Amino acid sequence: MSPEYLYNIRTVCYVFASVTFILGLKKMSHPATARSGNLLAAAGMLCAILATIFINVHRTETGGIPEYEEREPRGFIYALIFAAILIGTIIGWVTARRVKMTKMPELVSMFNGMGGACAALIGLMEFPHHHGLTGSLTAIVLGLIIGSVSFSGSIIAFLKLNGTMRKPFRLPSYNIINTVVMVIVFGLGAYMVFGDSQNGLIYVLFALALLYGVMFVLPIGGADMPVVISLLNSFTGLAAAFGGFLYDNKVMLTGGILVGSAGTLLTIVMCRAMNRPLSNVIFGAFGGSEATGAQESEHGTIKDVNVTDVAVLLNYSKKVVIVPGYGLAVAQAQHVIHELELLLEERGVEVAYAIHPVAGRMPGHMNVLLAESNVDYSKLQEMEDINPAFEQTDVVLVVGANDVVNPAAKTDPSSPIYGMPILEVDKAKNIIVNKRTMNAGYAGIENLLFYNEKTSMFFGDAKKVLTELYDELKDMS
Amino acid sequence: MEEFFNYIGLHEELIFFIILSVFVGIEVIGGVPTVLHTPLMSGANAIHGVVIVGAIIVMLNTNPADTLSLALGFLAVVLGTLNVVGGFVVTDRMLEMFKKK
């Protein structure tokens, strides 16, 4: 086959892949088609990767006439590529299959970081080979900067979600310091493009960009990590697009730009669900003043209940609403809560789940988790639909959720979560809150709901106490 | 300034291409329900793994004697594959949960 023919085959593969990316994202936006959308995009990706490996044809144009040249790399380079793909596939596949559903957000963050690192490494390798063209130098430098920021930022986000690093860490006037570092990074990048482009500097730039990624994510609280990951996700897309620009590779361009723009929109949509502008997430205000949460004023007293009390209360209710939160996920209590729900329904109690848009660590986290234990999709109700129904609810059972039911979001303008829409559980006749301890929620703020006279605290690990509750209810007939 | 305009003139197609892609990206996920935010983010995450194509191109054109570049390229391909494979598999696992009973 002539090199020209091969080149055109590869182009067809790239076109196919680009179409699958667009269709895949489109299908992933609807519940019924989401899974096939993901598989379609994966098929396109496989096609693009195979075409890249097996068709190594370069097109150069001299005087408007294209010339095609097929290059035959050494066999051992192929061996290295296949070995690398094999290693990556095994590790990626096994971790993605084995990880617990509760750890999904961390994993997405980690994979995103890998993509960023890949883009940064491409920049490191290509820099010594640049041909002094401003366009390709710009693409190399920007790809390197953005990829590195995405990589180190994702690692910090991973550690924060993981619980290794929980408290936001802030240097004094960190916003100014971060801005200065950012200006230095881009200043050095510009200097390398337009001024002196000696090879050693690229490593300095790499180190600085990594540092900036760390400093960018460190001050942001753990509760905001989903937004940060989504943002870093679109950064990696951008870095991939710069790679596409560098190699004039259209599939990298489409894939990268699509993720860049779709990811940015998704980030904004997520922020909107929390009723906060993106700038607020990145530049702070969340617990911005150290004084919040430290006020130990008189809130009143809390009421403690035991299993039997809760069982009796639930047994004689007409309508129960369950509010799941991250605590449910951590305790792996999604199966027992479903069994509890079935038992209550058997007794003629109407049960629904109230899903706050940002319950858990990621939007949609609770839906995924409850779907895993076969909870009927129609029982999961979104915040806007369920809020008016709380007045007719006999018992609200809050399991491991905190900030999403905190009335301070509505009543206390000084609260860091003020303005975030919440589940208005305090309208219900009885509120039972299951928590492990009295510790504050992820945002680190006091919750006055616990001191409400309608509220009873039901302490203990969600899985353990819900199992006891289930047994107690079962014996009561 | 003239250089800037020249640049735009030379890359006319590319610039149109970029602008249209940006809008396609925005349009295509418009109206996504909250429940799908996480899987969609994860799916998009897998798609930007297309950066692996760049890593493969670098590898294919590396001088076999340049050990540092080979090592970096190898690492880049491993990381890119992790992004692609891990990304798609984890998304599939999330979406598996949404299947109708």
Side-chain angles (χ1 to χ4, degrees), chain A residues 96-97 99 112 247 363 367, chain B residues 7 14 35 38 48 58 92-93:
Chain A
R97 275 276 144 214
V99 76
N112 179 49
Y247 297 118
N367 305 70
Chain B
Y7 189 84
L14 183 71
V35 282
T38 300
H48 70 47
V58 180
D92 188 58
R93 248 188 90 189

Side-chain angles (χ1 to χ4, degrees), chain A residues 362-375:
Chain A
M362 280 202 160
H365 192 187
M366 288 300 125
N367 305 70
V368 171
L369 205 69
L370 291 171
E372 187 198 0
S373 56
N374 290 326
V375 171

Side-chain angles (χ1 to χ4, degrees), chain A residues 215-234:
Chain A
M215 293 173 74
F216 176 71
V217 182
L218 266 187
I220 304 173
D224 284 331
M225 277 311 118
V227 177
V228 172
I229 295 172
S230 178
L231 189 66
L232 293 175
N233 188 30
S234 61

